[in-house]
């Protein structure tokens, strides 16, 4: 059973979610496909976005955009296709853009803007990031008067402007919207093709009239934020595989590398092995969590590098399907980690299988 475990991704669910998000906020969307599309598979996700008519996606780093654009599918896109990739983090060396016209860059400081213009990068390839005291990337508030002056004096028009709307205080979020909206209005909304502020969490909490797009990661994949729920979104992933082997452990002292008592199986009779472990990104924090076999929950007893051992009963057979991370809320309760933390940690050793055709 080589690769008996895999992450299945439903392309139709992704397409459905994109349409739901567009209708919900009455805006276009910029799907965030960084971190291997939140573990789902970056290349297939980018192709699916093209299929959905998405014209802008976002990644964190240059290497992610490069990997996508070097794929034959994207090399063969017609010039009429307006698909672009926004890179959030500064790339440093602007010559890296020379071979990739589908890359847009974030401008994270005044110095970076000056250098980009000196390198003759068109402002229509730039999206300006504003940092409203979140300590992230972006032009700081203290530098905004100089930025506004330069934009007006040189009559610059950009591909976009954005910030990061996320705070522990609802009132602080409203203040961020007010500051951002005032800034854009002062410079002139017409200077920016795309204006975006909300991430997935902020899409629930806030509306913002001035934006043209919402920037969504988790919601694109149907991963709901704790405490919020949109009934129309569909979860796209399913982590599943098959029972590889079953052993009677009633008279055994050890299970894999631990004593039976140490893994809570002192009186257990049956243990099942599945081919997924922490080398696949399925970490030891999942021990004492649960999985589903034949619609029944069973305990995860021990996670090793290559395999995981389950405490089962006589109903479980070799070849039975096993579901992991079947309930994201319960996964958080059992492991202390959000589902997107688990998914982005899944390594490339674990296959991704996308169902549904690219049209």
């Amino acid at each position: 059973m080589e690769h008996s475990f895999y992450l299945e991704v439903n392309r139709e669910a992704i397409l459905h979610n994109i349409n739901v998000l567009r209708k919900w906020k009455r805006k276009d969307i910029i799907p965030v496909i960084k971190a291997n599309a939140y573990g789902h598979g970056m290349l297939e996700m980018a192709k699916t976005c093209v299929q959905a008519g998405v014209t802008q996606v976002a990644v964190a780093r240059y290497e992610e955009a490069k990997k996508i654009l070097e794929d034959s599918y994207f090399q063969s896109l017609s010039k009429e296709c307006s698909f672009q990739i926004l890179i959030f983090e500064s790339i440093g060396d602007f010559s890296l853009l020379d071979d990739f016209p589908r890359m847009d860059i974030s401008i994270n400081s005044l110095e970076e803007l000056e250098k980009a213009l000196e390198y003759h990068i068109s402002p229509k390839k730039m999206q300006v990031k504003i940092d409203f005291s979140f300590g992230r990337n972006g032009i700081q508030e203290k530098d905004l008067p100089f930025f506004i002056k330069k934009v007006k004096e040189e009559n610059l028009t950009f591909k976009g402007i954005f910030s990061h709307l996320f705070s522990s205080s609802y009132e602080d979020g409203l203040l961020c919207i007010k500051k951002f909206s005032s800034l854009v209005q002062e410079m002139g909304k017409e200077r920016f093709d795309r204006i975006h502020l909300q991430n997935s969490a902020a899409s629930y909490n806030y509306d913002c009239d001035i934006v043209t797009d919402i920037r969504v990661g988790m919601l694109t994949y149907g991963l709901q934020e704790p405490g919020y729920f949109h009934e129309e979104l569909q979860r796209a992933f399913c982590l599943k595989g098959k029972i590889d082997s079953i052993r009677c452990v009633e008279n055994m002292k050890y299970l894999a590398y631990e004593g039976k008592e140490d893994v809570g199986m002192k009186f257990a009779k049956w243990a099942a092995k599945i081919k997924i472990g922490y080398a696949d990104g399925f970490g030891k924090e999942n021990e004492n969590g649960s999985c589903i076999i034949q619609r029944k929950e069973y305990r995860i007893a021990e996670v090793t590098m290559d395999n995981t051992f389950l405490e089962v009963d006589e109903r479980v057979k070799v070849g039975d399907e096993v579901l992991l991370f079947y309930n994201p809320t319960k996964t958080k309760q059992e492991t202390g980690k959000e589902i997107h933390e688990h998914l982005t940690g899944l390594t490339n050793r674990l296959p991704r299988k996308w169902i549904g055709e690219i049209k």
Side-chain angles (χ1 to χ4, degrees), residues 113-121:
L113 176 59
E114 294 281 3
K115 289 182 178 179
L117 292 172
E118 288 174 7
Y119 197 82
H120 302 295
I121 294 176

Side-chain angles (χ1 to χ4, degrees), residues 50 68 73 170 208 237 243 247 294 303 308 316 332 358:
V50 173
I68 293 169
Y73 176 89
Y170 179 73
C208 183
F237 87 91
I243 297 291
R247 292 285 177 92
Q294 297 184 25
V303 179
T308 291
V316 176
K332 170 64 183 300
I358 284 286

Side-chain angles (χ1 to χ4, degrees), residues 207-226:
D207 288 315
C208 183
D209 293 336
I210 204 166
V211 303
T212 60
D213 301 78
I214 57 170
R215 190 178 64 248
V216 282
M218 290 176 60
L219 295 184
T220 316
Y221 312 98
L223 304 176
Q224 305 269 22
E225 293 280 353

Side-chain angles (χ1 to χ4, degrees), residues 84-227:
Q84 295 289 127
I85 301 177
L86 169 64
I87 303 169
F88 286 142
E89 295 181 4
S90 302
I91 66 172
D93 181 2
F94 294 120
S95 68
L96 296 171
L97 301 174
D98 293 345
D99 296 327
F100 298 102
R102 293 191 183 275
M103 289 186 186
D104 291 339
I105 60 170
S106 296
I107 296 298
N108 291 304
S109 67
L110 286 179
E111 181 183 17
E112 192 170 18
L113 176 59
E114 294 281 3
K115 289 182 178 179
L117 292 172
E118 288 174 7
Y119 197 82
H120 302 295
I121 294 176
S122 168
K124 287 295 188 179
K125 301 285 293 175
M126 305 178 195
Q127 297 203 36
V128 180
K129 173 75 181 290
I130 308 299
D131 176 20
F132 287 112
S133 302
F134 287 110
R136 298 169 65 94
N137 295 335
I139 296 176
Q140 297 181 56
E141 287 188 80
K142 65 180 179 63
D143 293 327
L144 288 180
F146 305 100
F147 171 64
I148 294 169
K149 181 180 179 182
K150 184 173 185 65
V151 168
K152 290 183 175 180
E153 286 180 349
E154 300 188 22
N155 195 25
L156 300 175
T157 59
F158 296 91
K159 179 66 170 288
I161 186 170
F162 67 106
S163 188
H164 188 77
L165 177 58
F166 185 83
S167 67
S168 58
S169 162
Y170 179 73
E171 290 73 20
D172 285 346
L174 293 175
L175 179 60
C176 180
I177 291 174
K178 183 178 180 180
K179 288 181 177 180
F180 182 76
S181 299
S182 297
L183 174 66
V184 174
Q185 288 168 346
E186 182 176 354
M187 288 186 291
K189 187 176 179 180
E190 67 280 358
R191 292 188 186 275
F192 309 99
D193 295 340
R194 311 192 85 123
I195 303 169
H196 45 108
L197 183 61
Q198 296 127 295
N199 63 359
S200 289
S203 296
Y204 282 110
N205 277 334
Y206 306 98
D207 288 315
C208 183
D209 293 336
I210 204 166
V211 303
T212 60
D213 301 78
I214 57 170
R215 190 178 64 248
V216 282
M218 290 176 60
L219 295 184
T220 316
Y221 312 98
L223 304 176
Q224 305 269 22
E225 293 280 353

